[in-house]
Amino acid sequence: MAYSREKLVEYLQWDIATWQQALFLWDKTLDGFSATDDSLGSDALAHRRGLRALELGARDGGLSLWLADRGASVVCSDLEGPSEQAIALHAKYNRLSQIEHRAVDATAIDEPDESFDIVLFKSILGGIGAGLNFSAIECALAEIHRVLKPGGLLLFAENASGSGFHRFARKHFVTWGRSWYYPSAFELESLLSEFGNIRLQTYGLLGCVKSDSALFSKLDRLLCRSKKSSSHYMAYGYAVKKSERFTY
């Protein structure tokens, strides 16, 4: 699906050239997602009304807008509730009837079991796991698994551990870089082991240096040919909650 530069900025908010790789994969995934027969590739229900979605750590609500634009009914959430900018953004595109704004703790989601067809998050595990609080990350993923319906879809993108250069730069030049938890792609796969049909990719080498640079974006497209590399600083993909009716 083609998006204008304005929409990409509103959906993703920062380092667009890198994080849009996740959005493009999610678009293809939603095109084939069916919440009724627990499969990918059988029915384009993403274009129908009726899917219920939860965005965790939404902040300014960009990805909640993306989900609403795809036809979902969305709970846009953050720990203390989404920002005023999120509400204004959703009003700008007349999506307030589709989007509910709430305060939600990802480690204790106030929803019944099997409430959502889709759960989405972007760059939240690092904060949840700050100070190497691995149990909090495990709790959050267990809660996500709990509130997803059987066959439900988790869409995720995270700041990954990256190369030695990325780790050095975060430690010395990013305010929260010393405490933030940056999982490797392989750690993410392990954390998602309760799910089935996991697809995980990585991207990003130079985009973090100057995210609006066309040159660095082009170099990243050339250099990030490996679908999964420990040197890339962003990990993204999807995972499907296992269902008795679905064979992986």
Side-chain angles (χ1 to χ4, degrees):
M1 182 175 292
Y3 297 111
S4 67
R5 175 67 182 179
E6 178 187 11
K7 265 296 180 72
L8 283 172
V9 170
E10 289 177 324
Y11 287 156
L12 297 168
Q13 301 170 8
W14 74 87
D15 195 0
I16 308 304
T18 298
W19 295 86
Q20 71 180 357
Q21 304 303 317
L23 195 69
F24 296 157
L25 173 63
W26 297 342
D27 266 324
K28 293 178 183 177
T29 305
L30 282 186
D31 283 342
F33 174 61
S34 169
T36 57
D37 67 1
D38 307 333
S39 67
L40 295 174
S42 62
D43 191 15
L45 280 189
H47 294 293
R48 303 180 186 176
R49 300 294 175 184
L51 291 179
R52 187 167 188 244
L54 167 66
E55 184 189 0
L56 295 166
R59 195 169 68 173
D60 293 339
L63 290 175
S64 289
L65 174 65
W66 171 72
L67 283 166
D69 285 346
R70 295 302 308 260
S73 172
V74 186
V75 175
C76 175
S77 75
D78 211 327
L79 183 60
E80 297 181 359
S83 67
E84 291 298 320
Q85 289 91 331
I87 298 171
L89 176 66
H90 301 155
K92 174 182 175 181
Y93 289 100
N94 298 313
R95 296 299 187 190
L96 291 178
S97 62
Q98 285 176 255
I99 302 175
E100 177 186 357
H101 301 92
R102 285 175 43 191
V104 174
D105 181 348
T107 65
I109 300 171
D110 186 18
E111 287 278 350
D113 296 355
E114 301 179 7
S115 297
F116 295 98
D117 301 292
I118 300 167
V119 174
L120 180 151
F121 66 77
K122 172 176 175 269
S123 189
I124 67 168
L125 297 183
I128 293 171
L132 301 181
N133 189 356
F134 298 112
S135 62
I137 293 176
E138 292 171 344
C139 183
L141 290 171
E143 280 290 275
I144 290 168
H145 188 272
R146 179 184 66 80
V147 301
L148 273 172
K149 297 176 182 178
L153 184 65
L154 169 62
L155 304 174
F156 62 89
E158 273 297 318
N159 284 292
S161 55
S163 66
F165 163 74
H166 296 119
R167 293 189 291 273
F168 176 85
R170 288 161 172 165
K171 183 177 180 180
H172 294 281
F173 301 109
V174 178
T175 305
W176 57 87
R178 291 176 181 269
S179 61
W180 197 268
Y181 171 62
Y182 296 97
S184 70
F186 304 101
E187 285 174 314
L188 275 174
E189 281 186 320
S190 177
L191 288 165
L192 294 168
S193 61
E194 187 68 18
F195 292 82
N197 198 19
I198 301 166
R199 180 172 180 180
L200 192 150
Q201 297 180 192
T202 61
Y203 193 85
L205 287 169
L206 302 174
C208 59
V209 177
K210 189 171 176 59
S211 61
D212 60 349
S213 167
L215 173 60
F216 284 177
S217 296
K218 184 175 181 179
L219 286 172
D220 264 5
R221 287 196 298 272
L222 293 172
L223 294 170
C224 296
R225 295 188 181 278
S226 170
K227 289 191 175 181
K228 186 163 59 180
S229 169
S230 60
S231 297
H232 299 164
Y233 67 85
M234 192 262 289
Y236 63 100
Y238 64 75
V240 181
K241 181 174 177 177
K242 294 177 183 177
S243 167
E244 293 179 358
R245 293 177 292 160
F246 190 79
T247 301
Y248 296 94

